[in-house]
Amino acid sequence: MANTYPRIDLTRGTGPQGHRARMRARVLNTGASTLADYEILEMLLFAGVPRKDTKPLAKGLIGHFGSLVEVFRAPTQALRAAGLKDDAIRVLRLPGVAAERLASSEQRERPTLSNWEQLVTYLDQALEGGIPGQFRLLYLDNRNRLLADETAPDADTPSERNRAIAIRALALHATALIGFYVRPTERPADLSQAARQLDFAMRPLSITLHDVLVTGNGPPSSLHQEGLL
């Protein structure tokens, strides 16, 4: 009969390696968001300090520099003076690089439209596939970041359309809207009336209609700037 051996549970080991296995298992089981700041730093240091308990080092670094973020921002010489070797310092540079790239990716996917220049730049790209007569809506969050760019819902009446817009805005957790017409055929007075109705419908929901733009062959015009909204 072949010999059988009990399975060893590494997470129950003692010393630094057993502790590291338990920390890794905790992240897998409960998620990294459950970690304290010093524990995040402790785990990052696993890669740069392979055979040592990194918990005291992580707590000491946060105590010395004041916070996890300040540890990441600390100059190389300051980290060396605090006792870190270059391998560990290189590891601590990675979160900052990752954060910058994530922010850059988010900015591309969710551009901020908080001023006229940013809005016009966005519309220059968005209008490439625009259909004449189309009314589109930009749904924004509380930082004026774009949540969605969608054609206004179809409806039989303006009130039904505004209700559908409100439902969509609430679903997206939008706090503001910008509308724009793509080469409309309606008169400015009709566009102004529709914009005012939309503005009135959004107010009880604390959703701000920043502006409604009219686009043509030249630069877009603003109903708000022209006093029509």
Side-chain angles (χ1 to χ4, degrees), residues 146-186:
L146 182 66
L147 298 173
D149 173 354
E150 299 176 354
T151 303
D154 290 329
D156 294 331
T157 66
S159 60
E160 290 178 355
R161 185 187 68 174
N162 292 340
R163 182 175 182 275
I165 292 171
I167 292 172
R168 181 57 176 156
L170 292 173
L172 291 168
H173 302 288
T175 61
L177 299 173
I178 297 175
F180 65 96
Y181 290 93
V182 182
R183 295 186 292 280
T185 57
E186 294 93 334

Side-chain angles (χ1 to χ4, degrees), residues 110-122:
R110 298 178 59 186
T112 300
L113 305 176
S114 58
N115 59 51
W116 183 255
E117 182 179 354
Q118 291 171 338
L119 182 57
V120 170
T121 299
Y122 176 80

Side-chain angles (χ1 to χ4, degrees), residues 201-217:
M202 295 301 110
R203 289 185 182 185
L205 304 175
S206 297
I207 298 173
T208 302
L209 178 62
H210 284 322
D211 205 344
V212 172
L213 308 180
V214 179
T215 64
N217 296 324

Side-chain angles (χ1 to χ4, degrees), residues 16-98:
Q17 298 308 317
H19 174 67
R20 292 183 182 201
R22 289 191 295 273
M23 293 290 289
R24 293 185 180 109
R26 177 180 161 192
V27 170
L28 290 174
N29 292 331
T30 63
S33 62
T34 64
L35 299 176
D37 283 359
Y38 79 86
E39 291 174 318
I40 293 173
L41 183 55
E42 176 187 354
M43 292 195 71
L44 286 171
L45 290 170
F46 287 174
V49 185
R51 289 178 295 277
K52 184 179 177 182
D53 182 3
T54 57
K55 180 188 286 187
L57 179 58
K59 288 186 172 182
L61 287 169
I62 289 178
H64 178 73
F65 290 102
S67 69
L68 177 62
V69 172
E70 291 305 319
V71 173
F72 292 152
R73 291 174 175 171
T76 297
Q77 292 302 325
L79 292 172
R80 285 174 179 161
L84 287 185
K85 303 298 184 183
D86 285 354
D87 285 348
I89 293 172
R90 280 190 285 269
V91 171
L92 297 187
R93 297 304 180 215
L94 294 176
V97 173

Side-chain angles (χ1 to χ4, degrees), residues 135-152:
F135 181 51
R136 287 166 60 177
L137 288 159
L138 308 179
Y139 297 86
L140 310 176
D141 67 10
N142 59 359
R143 297 183 183 178
N144 288 324
R145 292 177 301 184
L146 182 66
L147 298 173
D149 173 354
E150 299 176 354
T151 303

